[in-house]
Amino acid sequence: EDQVTQSPEALRLQEGESSSLNCSYTVSGLRGLFWYRQDPGKGPEFLFTLYSAGEEKEKERLKATLTKKESFLHITAPKPEDSATYLCAVQGLVTSGSRLTFGEGTQLTVNP
Amino acid sequence: DSGVTQTPKHLITATGQRVTLRCSPRSGDLSVYWYQQSLDQGLQFLIQYYNGEERAKGNILERFSAQQFPDLHSELNLSSLELGDSALYFCASSVRRSSTDTQYFGPGTRLTVL
């Protein structure tokens, strides 16, 4: 069974204070690892897909990296508008269909 | 805006009742997924349809059922509702059946069972 663990559960940063969120996963063959951003009461918003170890993707202040056991979401010089819950999900090779298995998320708060 | 629409936005009902949640996927997307998000369990996969056929099933209760219609919209039916069914229900859509293409989520339906 695919499993995803995210840490920390919550993170408070000052504006401009860079940090990283962690996503550890267990999967029988990784088809893809996904990062989403979710604002309160809204649907998850797609950020990145990573397919293989060593891959990196960037978007504005966010950079996602992938190893064989975990992924990191690096946030450089965050702004208050980056405050949200960041969700990590995996899709396994032996998983039926294309279901995503999500972690519990990291709730990020960026104070001005 | 992801292009996935869900109605209604909010639903308040009583225990024992039955409700229907509706989802329209992005234009061109053939796969529709349903997820449940509750406070204590995070986002949980319920069921996937591809071009009208059931493709995968997750931890979906027998009281719940879904279908995808020829115009590709989908409905999730929840019956004999219990207090514990209160949650956000999200629909997502993607283009292909089983490759690693992106799932785009709708705004969700918040169900409250009193």
Side-chain angles (χ1 to χ4, degrees):
Chain A
E1 184 178 329
D2 302 342
Q3 290 189 331
V4 176
T5 302
Q6 292 188 246
S7 62
E9 288 184 14
L11 181 64
R12 283 187 175 274
L13 300 174
Q14 288 299 121
E15 185 171 1
E17 179 187 0
S18 302
S19 188
S20 296
L21 313 182
N22 177 262
C23 169
S24 298
Y25 64 90
T26 304
V27 65
S28 298
L30 180 69
R31 187 183 291 168
L33 184 140
F34 301 78
W35 282 98
Y36 286 85
R37 169 196 169 123
Q38 187 176 26
D39 292 304
K42 303 283 181 67
E45 175 188 342
F46 171 72
L47 294 174
F48 304 107
T49 307
L50 301 167
Y51 297 99
S52 57
E55 190 174 358
E56 299 181 353
K57 286 195 177 172
E58 285 188 67
K59 178 181 178 180
E60 295 179 359
R61 295 177 292 282
L62 300 177
K63 178 180 175 180
T65 62
L66 182 65
T67 72
K68 288 188 178 180
K69 293 185 178 181
E70 56 192 350
S71 176
F72 292 93
L73 185 65
H74 307 277
I75 303 178
T76 302
K79 298 182 177 181
E81 54 261 42
D82 294 322
S83 297
T85 296
Y86 290 84
L87 299 169
C88 173
V90 295
Q91 196 176 67
L93 283 173
V94 298
T95 304
S96 64
S98 305
R99 72 177 70 187
L100 294 176
T101 298
F102 281 87
E104 296 287 321
T106 293
Q107 186 174 358
L108 174 66
T109 303
V110 181
N111 296 313
Chain B
D1 184 358
S2 67
V4 178
T5 60
Q6 290 186 247
T7 57
K9 285 188 177 180
H10 302 279
L11 204 46
I12 301 174
T13 188
T15 54
Q17 295 298 305
R18 172 190 169 95
V19 297
T20 298
L21 282 54
R22 182 188 169 104
C23 167
S24 292
R26 296 185 317 154
S27 177
D29 283 1
L30 300 178
S31 272
V32 170
Y33 311 78
W34 287 96
Y35 291 85
Q36 179 191 55
Q37 187 174 41
S38 54
L39 283 175
D40 58 347
Q41 286 203 325
L43 263 168
Q44 300 285 318
F45 170 76
L46 295 177
I47 197 164
Q48 176 194 357
Y49 278 83
Y50 173 78
N51 204 20
E53 294 188 5
E54 183 182 301
R55 180 75 180 96
K57 229 171 183 177
N59 298 323
I60 187 167
L61 300 171
E62 286 191 10
R63 301 184 285 109
F64 295 2
S65 65
Q67 54 184 326
Q68 186 180 27
F69 294 86
D71 67 353
L72 301 177
H73 90 272
S74 177
E75 292 181 358
L76 179 66
N77 299 297
L78 316 177
S79 62
S80 302
L81 285 168
E82 302 175 359
L83 295 177
D85 297 328
S86 296
L88 272 166
Y89 290 85
F90 290 105
C91 168
S93 72
S94 68
V95 175
R96 291 183 291 272
R97 182 178 62 184
S98 60
S99 62
T100 319
D101 58 324
T102 300
Q103 294 181 28
Y104 293 91
F105 283 76
T109 293
R110 181 177 293 279
L111 174 66
T112 303
V113 182
L114 301 175

